[in-house]
Amino acid sequence: MKQVIGLLVLPLALATSGCITAPGPGGAPPPVPIVDKAQLYTGDWHEIAYRPNWVTQGCVAGVTRYTPKDKSNQVGVRDSCRDKTLDGKEKVVEGTGHILDPGTNARIRVDYFPLVSRETWVAALAPDYSWFITVTPGFGELNIFARDPQISPELKADLTARAKAMGYDVSQLDFPLQPAR
């Protein structure tokens, strides 16, 4: 039963995590102009930073895995993390991602359960697809992802500065433990 409750609660945490601050003119940062769907929505992305909340408390080594689906604008999404330590119990929730702007591919809504969904925008993206930053349209959430679980201190500082420049309160970000390369 605890696992079922955990599976129901994790999407709510994902929907409410992020850096809440007063919206700037025009709301959240706009999505990037274009995303190569095959490069971004495939494989594992390590969650380098997020704003903690009661559900993500103790989460480390977060990973979002994208798996292309037969339908051209859908992708499988598996969000997971470990409880407290890198060897802790895995928490997992799965859903279906729907690309909301085919062709541009920078906005996605993930449906985890019939009543739980989460829309995010790619607000910044490395030219080589080694990292990206997502935000929610309402300016309430910010997540930093990278292909490599261990990013350099310089990259961490750069991505944090980018988030701050977008108007987010980066003092609220949590940088959880990540596995070795």
Side-chain angles (χ1 to χ4, degrees):
M1 182 65 171
K2 283 184 180 180
Q3 287 179 334
V4 172
I5 291 171
L7 289 176
L8 293 173
V9 172
L10 186 58
L12 293 174
L14 294 171
T16 60
S17 68
C19 294
I20 299 173
T21 156
V32 297
I34 193 152
V35 169
D36 181 331
K37 182 172 61 173
Q39 286 190 65
L40 187 75
Y41 300 116
T42 303
D44 290 352
W45 287 97
H46 300 274
E47 189 173 35
I48 302 301
Y50 64 90
R51 181 172 181 243
N53 60 55
W54 64 275
V55 178
T56 58
Q57 187 174 28
C59 271
V60 300
V63 174
T64 294
R65 176 174 296 150
Y66 292 119
T67 307
K69 289 194 167 206
D70 289 339
K71 294 184 179 180
S72 64
N73 295 318
Q74 289 187 3
V75 62
V77 180
R78 181 184 190 272
D79 291 317
S80 66
C81 72
R82 296 288 177 169
D83 189 24
K84 297 184 181 97
T85 68
L86 297 176
D87 295 325
K89 184 176 179 175
E90 185 179 45
K91 299 177 185 180
V92 176
V93 64
E94 295 187 19
T96 299
H98 305 272
I99 296 172
L100 300 175
D101 55 348
T104 303
N105 307 314
R107 298 183 313 121
I108 188 171
R109 184 190 75 240
V110 180
D111 297 328
Y112 293 98
F113 300 102
L115 300 176
V116 179
S117 65
R118 175 179 175 248
E119 181 178 339
T120 58
W121 298 353
V122 178
L125 175 64
D128 65 356
Y129 286 75
S130 60
W131 59 262
F132 71 101
I133 298 173
T134 62
V135 299
T136 53
F139 206 76
E141 183 176 332
L142 169 82
N143 296 81
I144 299 173
F145 293 92
R147 288 286 188 192
D148 189 334
Q150 296 293 325
I151 64 172
S152 71
E154 295 81 15
L155 181 56
K156 178 180 170 182
D158 176 56
L159 296 176
T160 302
R162 287 172 186 265
K164 185 174 184 176
M166 290 177 198
Y168 287 89
D169 180 358
V170 296
S171 70
Q172 297 181 13
L173 284 177
D174 186 18
F175 293 85
L177 289 174
Q178 294 292 337
R181 289 186 176 134

